[in-house]
Amino acid sequence: MNNQKLLEVQDLVIEFTTDKGKVRAVDGISFSLNNSETLGIVGESGCGKTVTALSLLKLIPSPPGKIIQGHILYQGKDIVSKSESAMRHFRGKEISMIFQEPMTSLNPVFTIGNQMIDVIRQHTHASKKEAKERAIKMLERIRIPNPERRIDEYPHQMSGGMRQRIMIAMALSCNPKILVADEPTTALDVTVQAQVMAQISELQKKFNTAVILVTHDLGVIAETCTNVLVMYCGKIVERADVSTLFESPRHPYTRGLLTSIPRIREKKLEKLPTIEGTVPDLLHLPVGCRYADRCERVRDHCRLEEPPLEKKDDKTEVACFYPY
Amino acid sequence: MDTFIYSLRKFFQSIPLIFGVTLISFVLMVYFGPDKTYDLLGKNPTQQQIEEVHHQLGYDQPFLTRYFIFFKEIITFDFGYSDSTGEKVSSIFARTIPVSLAVQLPILISGNIISIILALIAAYFRGKMIDKSVMFVAVIGMSVSYLIIVILFQIIFCSSYGLNIFPVQGWEVESFTSYLKYVTVPVLASVFLSIGYNTRFYRAVIVEEITKDHVRTARAFGTHPLKLLFKNILKNSLIPIMTRIIITLPFIIIAGSIVLESYFSIPGIGLVLYDAILTGDLPIIKAAVTWTAMIYVLSLILTDIMYTVVDPRVTLK
């Protein structure tokens, strides 16, 4: 039991059927998560990170999306084969999720109390009164002032940051083992971002929850995560612990991402370095490495064969034939 | 209290609307409407008879005088006596409106409830077989003529070719059972038709709501689909749905349904109004126009109030 992973994703493939053909949004990714670990998933828009996050709760809109291969093992049990009604008892109780848009993620016509009580009563046998007390306690935990009063307010009466914190409180109200946070701070002000991230870390410690943080913000990753997956075009291109990744990135893409972050204390640059080119169209993927066209270390071999994700040293796995 | 003041202000603001509607209708009635005279006198009246009747009906008065009389009638709600039967307009309305309502309300209520449920189901399973079947039935309800549906239902339920369990037409209501006897078939036929239009409209509204972020959130927390549909989604979709329902109220109350009432011989307001328009029975038309405008304005105010009940983001100022 001890060496059993909390969550294990094995060779997951997710396809979307579109008018122009089938698109593999996620193409054979594997990763695992330990108890109370924080795993970051970074990548550009459209690299499959959100789809991966949604798939952990089987929330991919279907049709058009479908998990066509692979397993998602939660405490050793596969959830890919679980029925929709079994998933209902799973979502929010075992794995919870918070989303990018706090402005629209809460139901506008019900009070936040009503929504929190719904979640609590969905997964426990609490009476309405007990559920309300529990909801108020959660609001106190995230330091919402006057929780007894604010619980009867509607989402539009709160700021974006406050709504996101309420989402977090709601997500953690049934003590899930894993919290999946899909770009939780993207839509927020920078000052509020830090506040929300601090809240997530604090509650994570208190409840001993594992967190999967999906983001394109490397700063957020550096501050909160223990391990990082870098995704590109539906594949994992690099996996490392956070300090290794930031100190010595091996994959050219990861290096490209890191050098394109503006640094305040370093000498002034004429122009912020960027990664040339664009992400290839998922409908017309190249045969070889998907990053080849944008890569500065590309050689002929890269265009012919796809590099597998391999261990290059103790700390890093990289999908590149010629890593740094 | 805010709501009350708002409603009052809204009503006073609508008074010009009511007078505008009644003025335009009156111009149409006087200059383009049918002349009651020939209806009363038969085919070969003498010039003298014509003038006599014109005088009796007030047709010989100048337009402004006639409009002034109408104006007074609007303010006092007293539209005098029918030109055809001599019965007081208010008593005709009091007699026939309840009959129309007895037919129309069950249609309105059951038609909308069924449509909303079908629309929720279709929207939830959008793109799937269930959705397609529901929409297929809806399109039939929309595209087949009212008359054909009425006749079809009469054949199925009221004739010896079909079940033959209800009377074809008539209205001899003395008890609740006799009411059910006469009301069932017209209600079934109309509900079938209203499901067509309503379900399509409601489905579109609900599909838009179902793709919103908060629905995904609710799903991510394990909300049961039924609760998701009937609580989370329905309350959010209620504004357009309610607007549509409430706006039909004035026409149901005053106009009833001419086709339905004539096909089933139901002595409702629809038939009375239809006859009045054909023969130029001005007092009845004037009363109907005024009441419709009035109830329309009240319905609009009611819609505004209902918005605040359904959506906490709306405030009346």
Side-chain angles (χ1 to χ4, degrees):
Chain A
M1 189 66 200
N2 257 344
N3 51 11
Q4 191 185 359
K5 305 278 188 192
L6 179 59
L7 182 82
E8 216 171 339
V9 174
Q10 299 170 342
D11 197 25
L12 187 69
V13 177
I14 299 167
E15 268 187 4
F16 283 80
T17 314
T18 66
D19 296 339
K20 289 172 193 155
K22 287 197 169 156
V23 166
R24 283 203 173 183
V26 170
D27 195 357
I29 65 166
S30 303
F31 63 92
S32 62
L33 185 73
N34 292 316
N35 278 313
S36 60
E37 180 189 340
T38 307
L39 177 71
I41 302 181
V42 270
E44 290 169 81
S45 312
C47 71
K49 54 193 197 298
T50 296
V51 174
T52 308
L54 285 172
S55 72
L56 301 178
L57 281 170
K58 293 222 316 180
L59 279 176
I60 295 164
S62 168
K66 205 178 171 206
I67 298 176
I68 61 161
Q69 193 186 310
H71 301 284
I72 300 170
L73 303 176
Y74 174 79
Q75 294 183 328
K77 284 184 217 93
D78 195 357
I79 63 167
V80 174
S81 54
K82 273 197 179 190
S83 70
E84 184 60 25
S85 65
M87 282 312 291
R88 271 206 303 282
H89 300 290
F90 186 82
R91 293 174 186 145
K93 189 165 195 309
E94 308 295 338
I95 304 183
S96 259
M97 186 156 180
I98 57 175
F99 299 95
Q100 183 172 355
E101 270 296 332
M103 294 321 224
T104 53
S105 289
L106 289 162
N107 196 323
V109 300
F110 293 103
T111 60
I112 56 152
N114 188 322
Q115 298 180 51
M116 291 182 80
I117 289 165
D118 268 1
V119 173
I120 294 168
R121 297 195 68 201
Q122 172 75 26
H123 299 295
T124 60
H125 296 289
S127 69
K128 266 199 175 141
K129 211 175 139 228
E130 288 163 356
K132 185 167 181 180
E133 277 162 17
R134 203 160 149 185
I136 291 174
K137 215 169 268 166
M138 279 311 291
L139 291 183
E140 270 167 18
R141 278 228 170 94
I142 56 165
R143 289 188 294 276
I144 299 275
N146 287 324
E148 290 89 354
R149 193 170 53 82
R150 301 227 79 168
I151 197 164
D152 292 321
E153 287 186 1
Y154 291 93
H156 71 274
Q157 291 164 295
M158 314 212 162
S159 67
M162 212 181 256
R163 284 187 223 181
Q164 193 62 294
R165 282 156 62 203
I166 284 164
M167 278 294 295
I168 296 165
M170 225 158 115
L172 295 177
S173 61
C174 294
N175 294 326
K177 299 272 192 318
I178 304 174
L179 174 69
V180 181
D182 183 10
E183 309 233 12
T185 57
T186 308
L188 301 174
D189 274 346
V190 183
T191 45
V192 183
Q193 275 181 12
Q195 211 182 344
V196 167
M197 283 319 298
Q199 199 109 63
I200 291 178
S201 302
E202 188 191 324
L203 290 171
Q204 177 187 13
K205 280 191 196 96
K206 199 169 275 170
F207 290 100
N208 217 6
T209 318
V211 173
I212 295 178
L213 183 67
V214 175
T215 182
H216 58 245
D217 188 340
L218 287 160
V220 171
I221 295 270
E223 271 166 42
T224 46
C225 295
T226 39
N227 290 302
V228 189
L229 303 177
V230 182
M231 281 187 75
Y232 186 76
C233 253
K235 294 222 160 206
I236 295 174
V237 293
E238 181 159 4
R239 179 208 322 265
D241 68 83
V242 73
S243 51
T244 315
L245 187 93
F246 280 88
E247 276 157 26
S248 55
R250 304 290 302 270
H251 196 282
Y253 177 60
T254 317
R255 190 163 279 245
L257 283 181
L258 287 169
T259 50
S260 60
I261 301 173
R263 276 156 224 268
I264 295 172
R265 290 193 191 84
E266 283 174 21
K267 67 173 175 15
K268 219 170 174 183
L269 293 167
E270 283 293 303
K271 202 176 149 205
L272 194 64
T274 52
I275 302 176
E276 291 295 316
T278 52
V279 186
D281 181 1
L282 284 172
L283 276 165
H284 308 102
L285 285 172
V287 190
C289 176
R290 294 174 185 188
Y291 188 61
D293 283 343
R294 304 171 75 184
C295 187
E296 51 193 26
R297 294 166 79 87
V298 65
R299 292 183 214 176
D300 290 348
H301 183 197
C302 298
R303 298 193 191 273
L304 299 172
E305 202 186 325
E306 213 174 343
L309 188 63
E310 282 173 337
K311 247 190 156 73
K312 299 288 169 182
D313 55 52
D314 302 349
K315 291 170 174 171
T316 328
E317 284 175 64
V318 187
C320 182
F321 294 122
Y322 311 102
Y324 283 99
Chain B
M1 195 58 200
D2 275 355
T3 316
F4 181 71
I5 293 170
Y6 173 85
S7 317
L8 219 58
R9 208 183 59 228
K10 209 64 198 205
F11 186 77
F12 284 116
Q13 280 169 0
S14 312
I15 286 176
L17 176 81
I18 293 173
F19 283 108
V21 168
T22 47
L23 177 63
I24 293 168
S25 318
F26 194 61
V27 170
L28 293 174
M29 283 179 230
V30 169
Y31 292 108
F32 302 99
D35 193 332
K36 187 80 193 161
T37 321
Y38 303 97
D39 190 53
L40 289 176
L41 291 174
K43 271 186 180 154
N44 295 306
T46 62
Q47 188 58 37
Q48 200 195 350
Q49 279 175 315
I50 291 175
E51 268 162 27
E52 224 165 76
V53 172
H54 272 185
H55 181 70
Q56 270 172 21
L57 297 174
Y59 285 7
D60 53 352
Q61 308 273 357
F63 179 81
L64 275 182
T65 320
R66 291 178 67 185
Y67 183 67
F68 183 70
I69 294 168
F70 183 30
F71 194 85
K72 219 168 69 191
E73 288 171 344
I74 294 172
I75 291 168
T76 56
F77 288 111
D78 182 0
F79 296 93
Y81 300 87
S82 160
D83 289 343
S84 308
T85 60
E87 196 183 349
K88 208 165 177 356
V89 172
S90 54
S91 81
I92 294 178
F93 275 40
R95 178 164 51 80
T96 54
I97 286 180
V99 174
S100 285
L101 282 184
V103 183
Q104 294 294 333
L105 281 184
I107 295 171
L108 180 78
I109 294 166
S110 52
N112 277 300
I113 291 175
I114 295 171
S115 303
I116 289 172
I117 293 173
L118 285 178
L120 283 167
I121 295 169
Y124 188 77
F125 294 104
R126 63 193 176 286
K128 303 229 171 86
M129 214 35 222
I130 301 176
D131 178 28
K132 282 174 188 158
S133 338
V134 169
M135 284 304 105
F136 181 72
V137 175
V139 170
I140 291 180
M142 274 177 78
S143 37
V144 177
S145 159
Y146 203 164
L147 298 179
I148 291 174
I149 298 285
V150 166
I151 293 167
L152 195 71
F153 273 69
Q154 281 178 333
I155 292 173
I156 294 172
F157 291 101
C158 319
S159 76
S160 49
Y161 298 106
L163 299 168
N164 205 9
I165 42 175
F166 293 105
V168 178
Q169 47 174 225
W171 192 261
E172 285 148 39
V173 174
E174 282 129 17
S175 61
F176 188 66
T177 37
S178 62
Y179 166 64
L180 283 184
K181 201 170 105 188
Y182 287 105
V183 89
T184 307
V185 182
V187 167
L188 285 179
S190 293
V191 164
F192 183 78
L193 282 161
S194 73
I195 284 175
Y197 289 95
N198 289 338
T199 308
R200 278 185 71 85
F201 177 76
Y202 297 159
R203 179 188 174 276
V205 171
I206 293 162
V207 163
E208 197 193 319
E209 200 56 43
I210 226 167
T211 51
K212 289 212 171 139
D213 287 348
H214 67 80
V215 177
R216 187 181 58 180
T217 308
R219 273 179 20 97
F221 288 128
T223 310
H224 194 277
L226 284 178
K227 190 171 195 176
L228 197 66
L229 284 176
F230 285 92
K231 183 183 173 183
N232 300 41
I233 294 169
L234 186 57
K235 198 179 176 195
N236 275 288
S237 327
L238 269 185
I239 282 192
I241 292 176
M242 262 178 2
T243 310
R244 186 179 165 102
I245 295 174
I246 296 175
I247 291 300
T248 56
L249 283 180
F251 304 104
I252 282 173
I253 296 170
I254 297 299
S257 165
I258 292 161
V259 180
L260 200 68
E261 288 173 9
S262 58
Y263 263 74
F264 288 94
S265 300
I266 297 164
I269 182 79
L271 268 189
V272 172
L273 203 57
Y274 178 65
D275 286 338
I277 291 167
L278 280 189
T279 60
D281 195 343
L282 287 190
I284 289 179
I285 302 176
K286 287 194 284 192
V289 165
T290 312
W291 278 111
T292 309
M294 215 67 96
I295 297 172
Y296 194 80
V297 165
L298 291 177
S299 302
L300 287 179
I301 297 172
L302 180 65
T303 338
D304 284 347
I305 295 171
M306 290 305 284
Y307 285 171
T308 62
V309 174
V310 171
D311 194 333
R313 287 167 296 183
V314 179
T315 47
L316 300 178
K317 282 224 174 85

